[in-house]
Amino acid sequence: MPGARISEGACFRPVPARGAFVFSRVRTWWFTPCREFWQPERRQGMARPDKVAAVAEIADEFRGASASVVTEYRGLTVAQLTKLRRTLGPDVSYRIAKNTLVKLAAQDAGVDGLDALLVGPTAIAFVTGEPVDAAKALRDFAKDNKALVIKGGFM
């Protein structure tokens, strides 16, 4: 509609159609313009039960671990990750987790200073046994597989 004018009270909202959005003209009867579509209100999402359970599991692992090592696993194949888990042994739990969930779990467990390490794809090795053996195994695996990056750790 070239040349058509839209009045101040008009508001364009998307109407779902098959495979696309069709914009329809809706008039508002009060003086406020239609800003809720273009500038939506930020809402706090509800915690999903599976994410709450994941945060609780990670927090328990933080509490039970004698040491933890934060790594970046970008570029490793599933076979390489399986080999890494086998070389770490039964005393180490190597877990891939979302950074947001790890931050929440660390706060819950009382662990400080992890925020700088939680950038990019993150996996954490929770050591319940001897920390030196796990650190050596991670170092040796990182020498053989350049894709594994050891970001840091804490005891």
Side-chain angles (χ1 to χ4, degrees), residues 22-149:
V22 178
F23 288 91
S24 67
R25 186 173 172 184
V26 178
R27 289 200 176 268
T28 57
W29 295 101
W30 55 91
F31 184 69
T32 58
C34 178
R35 293 178 197 257
E36 67 270 4
F37 173 68
W38 302 110
Q39 297 172 357
E41 176 184 327
R42 287 231 184 244
R43 296 183 186 174
Q44 183 68 25
M46 292 180 59
R48 291 187 3 205
D50 56 339
K51 290 188 178 182
V52 171
V55 169
E57 285 178 20
I58 296 169
D60 287 341
E61 289 191 65
F62 272 124
R63 287 185 198 103
S66 59
S68 296
V69 181
V70 181
T71 63
E72 182 176 322
Y73 65 94
R74 182 182 307 172
L76 291 175
T77 63
V78 174
Q80 290 171 328
L81 286 173
T82 305
K83 183 179 175 185
L84 173 61
R85 285 186 175 108
R86 286 186 185 140
T87 58
L88 289 174
D91 292 337
V92 180
S93 170
Y94 190 74
R95 181 176 181 146
I96 295 171
K98 289 183 170 262
N99 293 336
T100 309
L101 300 181
V102 173
K103 286 178 187 177
L104 291 173
Q107 283 179 343
D108 188 29
V111 177
D112 296 330
L114 276 184
D115 292 343
L117 301 177
L118 299 176
V119 177
T122 302
I124 301 177
F126 296 101
V127 183
T128 55
E130 182 62 34
V132 176
D133 295 337
K136 286 181 181 179
L138 279 169
R139 181 199 59 198
D140 294 340
F141 190 85
K143 281 183 184 178
D144 297 336
N145 300 291
K146 299 296 180 191
L148 181 70
V149 177

